[in-house]
Amino acid sequence: NWENKELVKVKELVKKFKEDFDFDENDSWINLSFFGRGLRRLNLVLKEGRIGNSRAVVLNVEKAKEKILMFKEISFEDVLQEKL
């Protein structure tokens, strides 16, 4: 549903993030405020809103895909190929 530019609850994003990266539910430093600031700092938020009492965002999926490439491991051979 992110590709369709729909509002997604930040709470659901935090829960999915913790599950995907094996954080405990008790890791209180990863909270809604922390996660929301991170999304805004990386310019991944197109629109903010609310679903009921929950904060929600529309994510910039294309920019997120670009940001993921920053963390991709690059081998020495890949660097050499780019310079040629």
Side-chain angles (χ1 to χ4, degrees):
N1 61 3
W2 299 342
E3 296 284 349
N4 299 332
K5 307 259 190 262
E6 295 179 9
L7 282 171
V8 180
K9 290 183 180 180
V10 177
K11 189 174 188 174
E12 290 177 11
L13 292 174
V14 171
K15 182 179 178 183
K16 182 78 171 138
F17 180 81
K18 286 182 177 183
E19 288 173 2
D20 289 350
F21 292 100
D22 296 326
F23 286 101
D24 291 332
E25 291 295 323
N26 298 330
D27 285 331
S28 61
W29 64 275
I30 301 176
N31 55 32
L32 296 175
S33 297
F34 170 81
F35 202 81
R37 279 193 308 267
L39 291 175
R40 286 189 295 277
R41 188 179 321 116
L42 293 170
N43 294 321
L44 298 178
V45 176
L46 291 175
K47 180 181 172 186
E48 295 185 53
R50 290 196 169 269
I51 298 176
N53 288 337
S54 301
R55 292 191 298 176
V57 293
V58 175
L59 296 174
N60 186 343
V61 177
E62 292 303 316
K63 185 165 265 197
K65 289 177 183 177
E66 292 173 14
K67 298 283 184 179
I68 288 173
L69 293 178
M70 289 188 322
F71 300 103
K72 179 183 169 192
E73 291 185 22
I74 300 174
S75 68
F76 184 68
E77 291 80 22
D78 292 340
V79 173
L80 289 177
Q81 289 289 44
E82 289 179 10
K83 290 187 177 186
L84 296 176

PDB file of all heavy atoms in Angstrom, residues 25-52:
ATOM      1  N   GLU A  25      10.573  -5.918  21.718  1.00  0.00           N
ATOM      2  CA  GLU A  25       9.474  -4.984  21.946  1.00  0.00           C
ATOM      3  C   GLU A  25       9.803  -4.032  23.091  1.00  0.00           C
ATOM      4  O   GLU A  25       9.245  -2.959  23.206  1.00  0.00           O
ATOM      5  CB  GLU A  25       8.178  -5.743  22.244  1.00  0.00           C
ATOM      6  CG  GLU A  25       7.630  -6.487  21.051  1.00  0.00           C
ATOM      7  CD  GLU A  25       7.184  -5.571  19.928  1.00  0.00           C
ATOM      8  OE1 GLU A  25       6.634  -4.494  20.218  1.00  0.00           O
ATOM      9  OE2 GLU A  25       7.400  -5.930  18.757  1.00  0.00           O
ATOM     10  N   ASN A  26      10.745  -4.433  23.946  1.00  0.00           N
ATOM     11  CA  ASN A  26      11.113  -3.612  25.103  1.00  0.00           C
ATOM     12  C   ASN A  26      12.153  -2.552  24.780  1.00  0.00           C
ATOM     13  O   ASN A  26      12.541  -1.789  25.659  1.00  0.00           O
ATOM     14  CB  ASN A  26      11.643  -4.499  26.231  1.00  0.00           C
ATOM     15  CG  ASN A  26      10.583  -5.470  26.711  1.00  0.00           C
ATOM     16  OD1 ASN A  26       9.395  -5.177  26.650  1.00  0.00           O
ATOM     17  ND2 ASN A  26      11.004  -6.633  27.163  1.00  0.00           N
ATOM     18  N   ASP A  27      12.651  -2.509  23.550  1.00  0.00           N
ATOM     19  CA  ASP A  27      13.608  -1.470  23.169  1.00  0.00           C
ATOM     20  C   ASP A  27      12.869  -0.140  23.071  1.00  0.00           C
ATOM     21  O   ASP A  27      12.345   0.235  22.027  1.00  0.00           O
ATOM     22  CB  ASP A  27      14.278  -1.806  21.830  1.00  0.00           C
ATOM     23  CG  ASP A  27      15.314  -2.893  21.955  1.00  0.00           C
ATOM     24  OD1 ASP A  27      15.914  -2.991  23.048  1.00  0.00           O
ATOM     25  OD2 ASP A  27      15.530  -3.628  20.991  1.00  0.00           O
ATOM     26  N   SER A  28      12.855   0.578  24.188  1.00  0.00           N
ATOM     27  CA  SER A  28      12.044   1.787  24.256  1.00  0.00           C
ATOM     28  C   SER A  28      12.659   2.965  23.519  1.00  0.00           C
ATOM     29  O   SER A  28      11.990   3.954  23.270  1.00  0.00           O
ATOM     30  CB  SER A  28      11.797   2.172  25.717  1.00  0.00           C
ATOM     31  OG  SER A  28      13.035   2.424  26.355  1.00  0.00           O
ATOM     32  N   TRP A  29      13.938   2.883  23.152  1.00  0.00           N
ATOM     33  CA  TRP A  29      14.544   4.012  22.450  1.00  0.00           C
ATOM     34  C   TRP A  29      14.048   4.114  21.012  1.00  0.00           C
ATOM     35  O   TRP A  29      14.129   5.171  20.394  1.00  0.00           O
ATOM     36  CB  TRP A  29      16.066   3.935  22.497  1.00  0.00           C
ATOM     37  CG  TRP A  29      16.659   2.753  21.787  1.00  0.00           C
ATOM     38  CD1 TRP A  29      16.842   1.499  22.285  1.00  0.00           C
ATOM     39  CD2 TRP A  29      17.131   2.717  20.441  1.00  0.00           C
ATOM     40  NE1 TRP A  29      17.403   0.685  21.336  1.00  0.00           N
ATOM     41  CE2 TRP A  29      17.604   1.413  20.187  1.00  0.00           C
ATOM     42  CE3 TRP A  29      17.214   3.656  19.423  1.00  0.00           C
ATOM     43  CZ2 TRP A  29      18.125   1.025  18.979  1.00  0.00           C
ATOM     44  CZ3 TRP A  29      17.738   3.266  18.209  1.00  0.00           C
ATOM     45  CH2 TRP A  29      18.195   1.967  17.997  1.00  0.00           C
ATOM     46  N   ILE A  30      13.505   3.029  20.477  1.00  0.00           N
ATOM     47  CA  ILE A  30      12.869   3.099  19.156  1.00  0.00           C
ATOM     48  C   ILE A  30      11.384   3.323  19.399  1.00  0.00           C
ATOM     49  O   ILE A  30      10.630   2.386  19.620  1.00  0.00           O
ATOM     50  CB  ILE A  30      13.100   1.815  18.341  1.00  0.00           C
ATOM     51  CG1 ILE A  30      14.582   1.571  18.145  1.00  0.00           C
ATOM     52  CG2 ILE A  30      12.395   1.917  16.993  1.00  0.00           C
ATOM     53  CD1 ILE A  30      14.904   0.281  17.432  1.00  0.00           C
ATOM     54  N   ASN A  31      10.988   4.568  19.393  1.00  0.00           N
ATOM     55  CA  ASN A  31       9.595   4.897  19.646  1.00  0.00           C
ATOM     56  C   ASN A  31       9.039   5.723  18.483  1.00  0.00           C
ATOM     57  O   ASN A  31       9.733   5.983  17.495  1.00  0.00           O
ATOM     58  CB  ASN A  31       9.447   5.625  20.987  1.00  0.00           C
ATOM     59  CG  ASN A  31      10.326   6.850  21.069  1.00  0.00           C
ATOM     60  OD1 ASN A  31      10.578   7.509  20.072  1.00  0.00           O
ATOM     61  ND2 ASN A  31      10.807   7.145  22.256  1.00  0.00           N
ATOM     62  N   LEU A  32       7.798   6.134  18.607  1.00  0.00           N
ATOM     63  CA  LEU A  32       7.145   6.872  17.524  1.00  0.00           C
ATOM     64  C   LEU A  32       7.858   8.178  17.206  1.00  0.00           C
ATOM     65  O   LEU A  32       8.043   8.528  16.039  1.00  0.00           O
ATOM     66  CB  LEU A  32       5.688   7.147  17.886  1.00  0.00           C
ATOM     67  CG  LEU A  32       4.779   5.927  18.040  1.00  0.00           C
ATOM     68  CD1 LEU A  32       3.402   6.361  18.514  1.00  0.00           C
ATOM     69  CD2 LEU A  32       4.679   5.168  16.754  1.00  0.00           C
ATOM     70  N   SER A  33       8.274   8.901  18.243  1.00  0.00           N
ATOM     71  CA  SER A  33       8.936  10.189  18.026  1.00  0.00           C
ATOM     72  C   SER A  33      10.277  10.005  17.321  1.00  0.00           C
ATOM     73  O   SER A  33      10.598  10.714  16.363  1.00  0.00           O
ATOM     74  CB  SER A  33       9.159  10.909  19.350  1.00  0.00           C
ATOM     75  OG  SER A  33       7.937  11.191  19.956  1.00  0.00           O
ATOM     76  N   PHE A  34      11.065   9.055  17.802  1.00  0.00           N
ATOM     77  CA  PHE A  34      12.370   8.764  17.207  1.00  0.00           C
ATOM     78  C   PHE A  34      12.213   8.384  15.743  1.00  0.00           C
ATOM     79  O   PHE A  34      12.917   8.890  14.862  1.00  0.00           O
ATOM     80  CB  PHE A  34      13.042   7.626  17.989  1.00  0.00           C
ATOM     81  CG  PHE A  34      14.271   7.065  17.341  1.00  0.00           C
ATOM     82  CD1 PHE A  34      15.484   7.704  17.472  1.00  0.00           C
ATOM     83  CD2 PHE A  34      14.203   5.902  16.604  1.00  0.00           C
ATOM     84  CE1 PHE A  34      16.619   7.183  16.866  1.00  0.00           C
ATOM     85  CE2 PHE A  34      15.334   5.378  16.000  1.00  0.00           C
ATOM     86  CZ  PHE A  34      16.538   6.022  16.132  1.00  0.00           C
ATOM     87  N   PHE A  35      11.291   7.491  15.468  1.00  0.00           N
ATOM     88  CA  PHE A  35      11.093   6.981  14.114  1.00  0.00           C
ATOM     89  C   PHE A  35      10.574   8.078  13.186  1.00  0.00           C
ATOM     90  O   PHE A  35      11.040   8.228  12.050  1.00  0.00           O
ATOM     91  CB  PHE A  35      10.131   5.796  14.149  1.00  0.00           C
ATOM     92  CG  PHE A  35      10.262   4.887  12.968  1.00  0.00           C
ATOM     93  CD1 PHE A  35      11.255   3.931  12.934  1.00  0.00           C
ATOM     94  CD2 PHE A  35       9.399   4.986  11.901  1.00  0.00           C
ATOM     95  CE1 PHE A  35      11.390   3.082  11.847  1.00  0.00           C
ATOM     96  CE2 PHE A  35       9.524   4.148  10.812  1.00  0.00           C
ATOM     97  CZ  PHE A  35      10.517   3.193  10.781  1.00  0.00           C
ATOM     98  N   GLY A  36       9.632   8.864  13.678  1.00  0.00           N
ATOM     99  CA  GLY A  36       9.071   9.960  12.880  1.00  0.00           C
ATOM    100  C   GLY A  36      10.127  11.000  12.533  1.00  0.00           C
ATOM    101  O   GLY A  36      10.180  11.498  11.405  1.00  0.00           O
ATOM    102  N   ARG A  37      10.977  11.346  13.511  1.00  0.00           N
ATOM    103  CA  ARG A  37      12.063  12.303  13.240  1.00  0.00           C
ATOM    104  C   ARG A  37      13.016  11.755  12.193  1.00  0.00           C
ATOM    105  O   ARG A  37      13.487  12.486  11.321  1.00  0.00           O
ATOM    106  CB  ARG A  37      12.831  12.626  14.521  1.00  0.00           C
ATOM    107  CG  ARG A  37      12.160  13.656  15.393  1.00  0.00           C
ATOM    108  CD  ARG A  37      13.094  14.184  16.470  1.00  0.00           C
ATOM    109  NE  ARG A  37      13.743  13.143  17.260  1.00  0.00           N
ATOM    110  CZ  ARG A  37      13.299  12.659  18.408  1.00  0.00           C
ATOM    111  NH1 ARG A  37      12.184  13.130  18.930  1.00  0.00           N
ATOM    112  NH2 ARG A  37      13.959  11.719  19.054  1.00  0.00           N
ATOM    113  N   GLY A  38      13.308  10.466  12.288  1.00  0.00           N
ATOM    114  CA  GLY A  38      14.193   9.841  11.308  1.00  0.00           C
ATOM    115  C   GLY A  38      13.616   9.899   9.899  1.00  0.00           C
ATOM    116  O   GLY A  38      14.328  10.200   8.941  1.00  0.00           O
ATOM    117  N   LEU A  39      12.335   9.622   9.768  1.00  0.00           N
ATOM    118  CA  LEU A  39      11.690   9.690   8.457  1.00  0.00           C
ATOM    119  C   LEU A  39      11.750  11.093   7.882  1.00  0.00           C
ATOM    120  O   LEU A  39      12.045  11.287   6.701  1.00  0.00           O
ATOM    121  CB  LEU A  39      10.234   9.228   8.554  1.00  0.00           C
ATOM    122  CG  LEU A  39       9.983   7.757   8.839  1.00  0.00           C
ATOM    123  CD1 LEU A  39       8.495   7.508   9.016  1.00  0.00           C
ATOM    124  CD2 LEU A  39      10.540   6.879   7.736  1.00  0.00           C
ATOM    125  N   ARG A  40      11.494  12.094   8.730  1.00  0.00           N
ATOM    126  CA  ARG A  40      11.542  13.482   8.266  1.00  0.00           C
ATOM    127  C   ARG A  40      12.971  13.913   7.944  1.00  0.00           C
ATOM    128  O   ARG A  40      13.212  14.622   6.967  1.00  0.00           O
ATOM    129  CB  ARG A  40      10.901  14.412   9.293  1.00  0.00           C
ATOM    130  CG  ARG A  40       9.375  14.298   9.318  1.00  0.00           C
ATOM    131  CD  ARG A  40       8.731  15.358  10.180  1.00  0.00           C
ATOM    132  NE  ARG A  40       9.073  15.215  11.583  1.00  0.00           N
ATOM    133  CZ  ARG A  40       8.467  14.386  12.427  1.00  0.00           C
ATOM    134  NH1 ARG A  40       7.496  13.609  11.996  1.00  0.00           N
ATOM    135  NH2 ARG A  40       8.829  14.328  13.686  1.00  0.00           N
ATOM    136  N   ARG A  41      13.931  13.490   8.764  1.00  0.00           N
ATOM    137  CA  ARG A  41      15.331  13.857   8.537  1.00  0.00           C
ATOM    138  C   ARG A  41      15.831  13.312   7.203  1.00  0.00           C
ATOM    139  O   ARG A  41      16.609  13.956   6.503  1.00  0.00           O
ATOM    140  CB  ARG A  41      16.202  13.322   9.676  1.00  0.00           C
ATOM    141  CG  ARG A  41      17.622  13.792   9.633  1.00  0.00           C
ATOM    142  CD  ARG A  41      18.462  13.266  10.781  1.00  0.00           C
ATOM    143  NE  ARG A  41      17.786  13.224  12.056  1.00  0.00           N
ATOM    144  CZ  ARG A  41      17.524  12.104  12.745  1.00  0.00           C
ATOM    145  NH1 ARG A  41      17.886  10.929  12.282  1.00  0.00           N
ATOM    146  NH2 ARG A  41      16.905  12.154  13.908  1.00  0.00           N
ATOM    147  N   LEU A  42      15.388  12.115   6.849  1.00  0.00           N
ATOM    148  CA  LEU A  42      15.781  11.499   5.579  1.00  0.00           C
ATOM    149  C   LEU A  42      14.910  11.958   4.407  1.00  0.00           C
ATOM    150  O   LEU A  42      15.074  11.483   3.292  1.00  0.00           O
ATOM    151  CB  LEU A  42      15.715   9.975   5.703  1.00  0.00           C
ATOM    152  CG  LEU A  42      16.735   9.352   6.647  1.00  0.00           C
ATOM    153  CD1 LEU A  42      16.417   7.884   6.879  1.00  0.00           C
ATOM    154  CD2 LEU A  42      18.140   9.512   6.096  1.00  0.00           C
ATOM    155  N   ASN A  43      13.982  12.867   4.669  1.00  0.00           N
ATOM    156  CA  ASN A  43      13.063  13.404   3.655  1.00  0.00           C
ATOM    157  C   ASN A  43      12.242  12.301   2.982  1.00  0.00           C
ATOM    158  O   ASN A  43      12.057  12.297   1.773  1.00  0.00           O
ATOM    159  CB  ASN A  43      13.815  14.209   2.593  1.00  0.00           C
ATOM    160  CG  ASN A  43      14.426  15.451   3.161  1.00  0.00           C
ATOM    161  OD1 ASN A  43      13.828  16.118   3.988  1.00  0.00           O
ATOM    162  ND2 ASN A  43      15.633  15.768   2.722  1.00  0.00           N
ATOM    163  N   LEU A  44      11.769  11.364   3.783  1.00  0.00           N
ATOM    164  CA  LEU A  44      10.972  10.264   3.256  1.00  0.00           C
ATOM    165  C   LEU A  44       9.475  10.491   3.409  1.00  0.00           C
ATOM    166  O   LEU A  44       8.682   9.666   2.975  1.00  0.00           O
ATOM    167  CB  LEU A  44      11.368   8.952   3.944  1.00  0.00           C
ATOM    168  CG  LEU A  44      12.808   8.504   3.743  1.00  0.00           C
ATOM    169  CD1 LEU A  44      13.066   7.218   4.512  1.00  0.00           C
ATOM    170  CD2 LEU A  44      13.127   8.331   2.278  1.00  0.00           C
ATOM    171  N   VAL A  45       9.088  11.606   4.005  1.00  0.00           N
ATOM    172  CA  VAL A  45       7.670  11.881   4.256  1.00  0.00           C
ATOM    173  C   VAL A  45       7.151  12.860   3.210  1.00  0.00           C
ATOM    174  O   VAL A  45       7.655  13.971   3.074  1.00  0.00           O
ATOM    175  CB  VAL A  45       7.465  12.467   5.668  1.00  0.00           C
ATOM    176  CG1 VAL A  45       6.013  12.838   5.891  1.00  0.00           C
ATOM    177  CG2 VAL A  45       7.924  11.475   6.719  1.00  0.00           C
ATOM    178  N   LEU A  46       6.156  12.413   2.445  1.00  0.00           N
ATOM    179  CA  LEU A  46       5.508  13.299   1.479  1.00  0.00           C
ATOM    180  C   LEU A  46       4.378  14.090   2.125  1.00  0.00           C
ATOM    181  O   LEU A  46       4.165  15.248   1.795  1.00  0.00           O
ATOM    182  CB  LEU A  46       4.941  12.489   0.309  1.00  0.00           C
ATOM    183  CG  LEU A  46       5.942  11.838  -0.632  1.00  0.00           C
ATOM    184  CD1 LEU A  46       5.203  10.981  -1.661  1.00  0.00           C
ATOM    185  CD2 LEU A  46       6.765  12.895  -1.333  1.00  0.00           C
ATOM    186  N   LYS A  47       3.659  13.430   3.024  1.00  0.00           N
ATOM    187  CA  LYS A  47       2.486  14.054   3.647  1.00  0.00           C
ATOM    188  C   LYS A  47       2.285  13.439   5.010  1.00  0.00           C
ATOM    189  O   LYS A  47       2.555  12.255   5.212  1.00  0.00           O
ATOM    190  CB  LYS A  47       1.264  13.788   2.761  1.00  0.00           C
ATOM    191  CG  LYS A  47      -0.022  14.362   3.250  1.00  0.00           C
ATOM    192  CD  LYS A  47      -1.155  14.013   2.309  1.00  0.00           C
ATOM    193  CE  LYS A  47      -2.486  14.430   2.903  1.00  0.00           C
ATOM    194  NZ  LYS A  47      -3.614  13.989   2.092  1.00  0.00           N
ATOM    195  N   GLU A  48       1.866  14.260   5.964  1.00  0.00           N
ATOM    196  CA  GLU A  48       1.550  13.770   7.303  1.00  0.00           C
ATOM    197  C   GLU A  48       0.064  13.952   7.562  1.00  0.00           C
ATOM    198  O   GLU A  48      -0.558  14.876   7.059  1.00  0.00           O
ATOM    199  CB  GLU A  48       2.354  14.524   8.360  1.00  0.00           C
ATOM    200  CG  GLU A  48       3.842  14.290   8.255  1.00  0.00           C
ATOM    201  CD  GLU A  48       4.616  14.941   9.374  1.00  0.00           C
ATOM    202  OE1 GLU A  48       4.266  14.692  10.547  1.00  0.00           O
ATOM    203  OE2 GLU A  48       5.548  15.690   9.070  1.00  0.00           O
ATOM    204  N   GLY A  49      -0.471  13.057   8.367  1.00  0.00           N
ATOM    205  CA  GLY A  49      -1.880  13.152   8.699  1.00  0.00           C
ATOM    206  C   GLY A  49      -2.192  12.287   9.905  1.00  0.00           C
ATOM    207  O   GLY A  49      -1.293  11.887  10.642  1.00  0.00           O
ATOM    208  N   ARG A  50      -3.459  12.018  10.098  1.00  0.00           N
ATOM    209  CA  ARG A  50      -3.891  11.187  11.212  1.00  0.00           C
ATOM    210  C   ARG A  50      -4.912  10.178  10.714  1.00  0.00           C
ATOM    211  O   ARG A  50      -5.708  10.457   9.832  1.00  0.00           O
ATOM    212  CB  ARG A  50      -4.505  12.029  12.315  1.00  0.00           C
ATOM    213  CG  ARG A  50      -3.500  12.874  13.053  1.00  0.00           C
ATOM    214  CD  ARG A  50      -4.092  13.370  14.370  1.00  0.00           C
ATOM    215  NE  ARG A  50      -3.067  13.962  15.191  1.00  0.00           N
ATOM    216  CZ  ARG A  50      -2.350  13.301  16.098  1.00  0.00           C
ATOM    217  NH1 ARG A  50      -2.567  12.028  16.301  1.00  0.00           N
ATOM    218  NH2 ARG A  50      -1.435  13.903  16.809  1.00  0.00           N
ATOM    219  N   ILE A  51      -4.829   9.006  11.317  1.00  0.00           N
ATOM    220  CA  ILE A  51      -5.862   7.984  11.142  1.00  0.00           C
ATOM    221  C   ILE A  51      -6.395   7.736  12.545  1.00  0.00           C
ATOM    222  O   ILE A  51      -5.715   7.127  13.363  1.00  0.00           O
ATOM    223  CB  ILE A  51      -5.292   6.686  10.528  1.00  0.00           C
ATOM    224  CG1 ILE A  51      -4.718   6.945   9.147  1.00  0.00           C
ATOM    225  CG2 ILE A  51      -6.377   5.615  10.471  1.00  0.00           C
ATOM    226  CD1 ILE A  51      -4.049   5.735   8.515  1.00  0.00           C
ATOM    227  N   GLY A  52      -7.567   8.243  12.819  1.00  0.00           N
ATOM    228  CA  GLY A  52      -8.091   8.184  14.185  1.00  0.00           C
ATOM    229  C   GLY A  52      -7.215   9.035  15.077  1.00  0.00           C
ATOM    230  O   GLY A  52      -7.010  10.215  14.821  1.00  0.00           O
TER     231      GLY A  52
END
